[in-house]
Amino acid sequence: MKAFKSTLLFLLVSSVLFVSCEQKKGSNDTLITPAELNQANKDILLIDVRTPEEYASGHIENAVNIDFYADNFQEQIEVLDRSQPVYVYCKKGGRSSNAAQKMKDMGFKSVYDLDGGILQWEQEGFKTVK
C-alpha cells in the first residue's frame, strides 16, 4: 500500500510539473521560427539588436541595427510606430527576448522574437548579408 501511495504521489507531482512546463512554453506567443520569419521578411520592420560589430559580420537582409546594449536603445525604439508589428533577433535569443519584453512594456502591440536567433536562422540554411 505504501508503494502504491508513493507511485500515485509521484505521478501526480510529475503531471503537475509537466502541465506547468507546457503552459510556460506555450504562453510566449511572440516567438517566431526562422521559416516563419523568412515568409514574413518582406516590408516588415526587422531589428537586429546585436552590436554594430556583430551586425557587420552578417545579418538578415533588410534588418536595421539597434544595439540593445547601447545607451540610447530606448530612445531609438521610442520613435518607432507602436501599432506596427516589429520583429527582433540577436545571436541566440537572449538579448532579443529582453528587447521584445522592453518593447511590449513600452506599448508595442506586436513584437515577434526570432527563436534561436541568427544562429538558428543560419543553421536552418537561411542566408545572411554583409
Side-chain angles (χ1 to χ4, degrees):
M1 186 67 159
K2 189 173 184 177
F4 175 74
K5 286 182 181 179
S6 295
T7 302
L8 186 59
L9 181 61
F10 172 77
L11 290 173
L12 180 62
V13 169
S14 297
S15 64
V16 168
L17 289 174
F18 177 75
V19 168
S20 67
C21 289
E22 286 300 307
Q23 288 172 337
K24 278 184 184 177
K25 189 165 50 170
S27 67
N28 187 353
D29 61 352
T30 62
L31 284 179
I32 186 170
T33 67
E36 291 169 327
L37 178 59
N38 187 56
Q39 288 277 5
N41 194 11
K42 289 143 186 82
D43 299 321
I44 63 169
L45 178 54
L46 178 61
I47 302 173
D48 182 327
V49 297
R50 299 177 299 155
T51 65
E53 295 78 20
E54 290 174 300
Y55 179 83
S57 71
H59 57 274
I60 298 172
E61 190 172 12
N62 301 323
V64 176
N65 184 220
I66 302 178
D67 182 359
F68 181 71
Y69 293 135
D71 292 337
N72 64 347
F73 174 78
Q74 186 164 336
E75 294 162 9
Q76 291 183 67
I77 295 298
E78 282 177 350
V79 300
L80 303 175
D81 184 351
R82 286 169 172 74
S83 67
Q84 295 300 313
V86 179
Y87 297 78
V88 296
Y89 73 91
C90 63
K91 183 176 182 178
K92 294 190 267 186
R95 280 177 280 183
S96 59
S97 176
N98 291 333
Q101 186 57 56
K102 186 174 197 75
M103 293 175 78
K104 287 180 194 175
D105 293 345
M106 293 171 64
F108 283 82
K109 302 297 180 214
S110 300
V111 183
Y112 300 94
D113 181 10
L114 178 59
D115 193 16
I118 198 165
L119 290 180
Q120 187 65 36
W121 173 268
E122 292 174 324
Q123 185 176 351
E124 293 189 20
F126 296 107
K127 296 184 185 215
T128 60
V129 297
K130 291 186 180 186

